Amino acid sequence: MRHLMSPLDFTTSELEKLFDLASEIEKNPKKFSTICNGKILATCFYEPSTRTRLSFESAMYHLGGNVLGFSDAASSSASKGESVSDTIRMISCYADICAIRHPKEGAPMVASGKSSIPVINAGDGGHQHPTQTLTDLLTIRSMKGRLSQFTIGLCGDLKFGRTVHSLINALIRYPDIQFIFISPEELKIPDYIREDVLEKNNIPYKEFVRLEDCIGDLDLLYMTRVQRERFFNEEEYIRLKDFYILDKNKMALAKKDMLVLHPLPRVNEISVEVDDDARAVYFKQVQYGVYVRMALILTLLELL
Ligand code: NCD
């Protein structure tokens, strides 16, 4: 039995297979519409989410399966003091596969150790968000035809943004990837990513504070929101929340084929005037998220 805790749980060739399957689903969704008949997905979300939880649920329904779960810790037995380990043992009796989001880093990993069904990490604190990374990679691969030879800019909250941490981990396995990190001083990438992931693997990276100073060099721009819920101090959040606003003027400095990605939700960091730009693919990303989660459910349930 396999779980998904980190994007690195799959080799790059396993990811290729997963993305091929997702693309096949995109082309011919009908072929897959009953394959999960009689199967149940549990979504256990101890932290708010709209996109990720509904994306999982939509994926399971599109495969002909059913869904049960909870969408916040207060409405689950966690509020009575039940441990994640006990919850997953119970869920294992009710469902065939489970997606867990939790504010504590490592909680889905603890759950997977006690589970008799596949567990998917749907985001753990500021740590990892592997299915968002699968979504990001499928979007890039589908729109650019490759996952190598890119200069990618990651902009915003690089300290707390788990989608950023997962994406960096995943992209370093592809050839000729160069990172440009754009953040205020207070929200730079954590030292463990800098030292253990980038420097250890000799991955080239540069750091900027101003987006205008580097946007023209980018093939991909990954915008992120400032992660309010991970701040200890509201004043600090307010000071930093509008540090970056991608607008038409900045887009005019970018390459004609640069893609703009964002895991969403967006707050102010991308002006709505950018939404109509052909380079803005963040809503397409949402659709790819459903295809890749469908492919993941089929793979973990070994239904193909
Ligand atoms: C991201 C998350 O939860 O980390 N959202 C998502 O899953 N699409 C990004 C965010 O909340 O900023």
Side-chain angles (χ1 to χ4, degrees), residues 77-116:
S77 295
S79 63
K80 298 182 186 169
E82 186 174 59
S83 68
V84 171
S85 303
D86 281 5
T87 304
I88 193 68
R89 283 187 166 172
M90 182 220 22
I91 295 286
S92 297
C93 305
Y94 298 157
D96 301 285
I97 184 165
C98 177
I100 299 190
R101 168 169 291 192
H102 202 285
K104 275 210 193 108
E105 310 192 343
M109 178 73 100
V110 170
S112 69
K114 297 285 180 197
S115 177
S116 53

Side-chain angles (χ1 to χ4, degrees), residues 263-293:
L264 303 179
R266 149 178 65 183
V267 187
N268 285 329
E269 58 280 353
I270 303 180
S271 163
V272 289
E273 68 187 22
V274 176
D275 295 358
D276 298 330
D277 191 306
R279 295 169 289 181
V281 297
Y282 29 91
F283 289 111
K284 285 200 179 117
Q285 234 173 309
V286 176
Q287 183 65 63
Y288 284 119
V290 179
Y291 298 137
V292 93
R293 288 184 176 93

